[in-house]
Amino acid sequence: MKLPFVLAKKFVAGESFVDAKPEVEHLNDKKIKITLDLLGENVKDCETADATVQSYIDLINSIKEAQLESNISIKLTMLGLDIDRSYCKENLFKLLEVTRENDQFVRIDMEGSDYTQVTIDLFKEAYKEFGKHVGIVIQAYLHRSKNDIHELAQIGADVRICKGAYSEPKESALQNMDAIREAYKEYTKILLQKTPYPRIATHDDKLIEWVKGYADENGIGKDRFEFQMLYGLRQDTMEAFVEEGYNARIYVPFGTMWFPYFKRRLMERKENIWFVISTMFQK
């Protein structure tokens, strides 16, 4: 049984670009930048992967045509990483060629820890060829991220730092929130010191206030980094960032394969569950 999209409307902007576009325009009007995220993961057949590549290319072209202040985020498993690494790389480079032609930017999203090494490897190969047009995500809770951050900072990569979105065992990831926050701070310092424009992705007020204080104390201008949050969560905070002179970006997901993303958001906070329950009873 296919669940009705109305359940996910708080966290997902629509099932198509046409649905999502008014939301992007509304946020752009508030001086908030956007990253569009076509939902889906773990494609197992070439036909679907090829169609996804074309969807990403169409999205890049649609953003330019609509003159939106937006870039895009992709998952390598949507490009066929589970099928064949070389095939995935070929698809990635095909997309990035169009990205460069349009002077656009693609963020390679980070998936579960089984994919971390190959994702970083493919990013480095892409970065050598496409430079400023491609970036990556690092999850602070992974034990390995300390080395990864240093390596990526050394080459001046465009890094989005987040706490971590997947359930990982203690062998792979920190489990204590205080420890995760300390790791996040350590890696953010490195990014602010050694990379041109780090992306600070968090909804955690303790980390937000720490970033503001650290940047101010070290003479790091508000235009040297950006705060990022997810669609449907704390838009008022993002608007306040803009008023304070910070750069702000919202990740706006859309697409028909919204359920896994919706489920992750639902499990994060009990307030999200109550929102969905109340939506079910709206007329």
Side-chain angles (χ1 to χ4, degrees):
M1 182 183 71
K2 180 175 170 57
L3 293 173
F5 174 74
V6 66
L7 296 177
K9 69 178 184 178
K10 175 176 172 61
F11 310 111
V12 182
E15 293 192 287
S16 69
F17 173 76
V18 172
D19 295 333
K21 181 184 171 186
E23 293 296 318
V24 175
E25 292 173 332
H26 172 70
L27 292 167
N28 280 172
D29 286 343
K30 295 178 177 294
K31 309 300 181 186
I32 297 171
K33 299 179 178 67
I34 300 299
T35 292
L36 278 166
D37 182 9
L38 176 60
L39 295 172
E41 50 198 66
N42 298 106
V43 168
K44 302 297 186 184
D45 64 276
C46 292
E47 183 179 357
T48 304
D50 291 345
T52 302
V53 174
Q54 189 57 53
S55 293
Y56 282 141
I57 290 172
D58 292 343
L59 181 56
I60 289 286
N61 290 326
S62 295
I63 288 170
K64 182 177 182 179
E65 182 180 348
Q67 298 182 315
L68 301 176
E69 187 66 51
S70 177
N71 55 39
I72 73 170
S73 175
I74 68 168
K75 284 184 169 62
L76 292 181
T77 59
M78 289 283 281
L79 301 184
L81 184 57
D82 287 334
I83 300 168
D84 179 76
R85 186 191 190 280
S86 296
Y87 169 67
C88 176
K89 178 181 176 179
E90 180 181 331
N91 283 336
L92 175 62
F93 276 44
K94 179 180 178 181
L95 170 63
L96 289 173
E97 288 286 0
V98 176
T99 301
R100 181 163 57 188
E101 290 169 4
N102 284 275
D103 195 24
Q104 250 288 358
F105 178 85
V106 167
R107 175 78 56 196
I108 300 176
D109 206 355
M110 189 58 73
E111 303 180 60
S113 60
D114 289 346
Y115 295 100
T116 302
Q117 188 61 56
V118 67
T119 300
I120 291 174
D121 290 344
L122 282 169
F123 163 75
K124 288 179 178 177
E125 292 172 37
Y127 183 72
K128 287 180 182 178
E129 175 66 26
F130 298 98
K132 67 176 184 177
H133 299 288
V134 63
I136 194 169
V137 178
I138 291 296
Q139 301 181 107
Y141 69 166
L142 293 181
H143 299 311
R144 60 167 294 158
S145 291
K146 184 172 185 176
N147 291 331
D148 293 333
I149 282 286
H150 279 286
E151 289 182 7
L152 292 166
Q154 190 172 15
I155 64 174
D158 188 314
V159 177
R160 177 182 193 256
I161 181 75
C162 67
K163 285 180 179 175
Y166 297 86
S167 177
E168 298 284 358
K170 62 181 180 180
E171 292 77 18
S172 300
L174 298 167
Q175 306 294 310
N176 176 270
M177 185 53 66
D178 287 338
I180 294 171
R181 285 194 182 103
E182 289 307 306
Y184 191 105
K185 291 176 184 178
E186 178 185 348
Y187 306 153
T188 300
K189 285 181 184 179
I190 294 168
L191 294 175
L192 287 169
Q193 292 166 0
K194 297 186 177 181
T195 67
Y197 191 74
R199 321 293 181 127
I200 314 299
T202 184
H203 300 93
D204 188 326
D205 284 324
K206 291 182 179 179
L207 290 176
I208 290 168
E209 292 307 312
W210 176 85
V211 170
K212 288 180 176 179
Y214 181 82
D216 186 55
E217 291 166 10
N218 290 275
I220 299 169
K222 294 177 180 179
D223 61 343
R224 272 265 288 106
F225 61 94
E226 70 180 23
F227 286 113
Q228 296 189 352
M229 289 189 178
L230 300 175
Y231 177 76
L233 301 173
R234 300 186 60 175
Q235 183 179 317
D236 56 340
T237 301
M238 299 301 275
E239 293 177 20
F241 285 153
V242 172
E243 291 176 5
E244 293 168 16
Y246 293 99
N247 294 316
R249 183 180 299 273
I250 291 179
Y251 259 55
V252 176
F254 73 98
T256 57
M257 292 186 279
W258 49 264
F259 183 74
Y261 177 88
F262 164 68
K263 184 179 178 182
R264 283 198 289 271
R265 297 291 81 77
L266 205 60
M267 294 300 103
E268 285 173 346
R269 301 177 67 200
K270 64 179 182 295
E271 291 89 346
N272 294 343
I273 297 175
W274 286 117
F275 173 86
V276 171
I277 291 173
S278 66
T279 300
M280 291 173 66
F281 291 98
Q282 288 178 357
K283 292 184 180 179

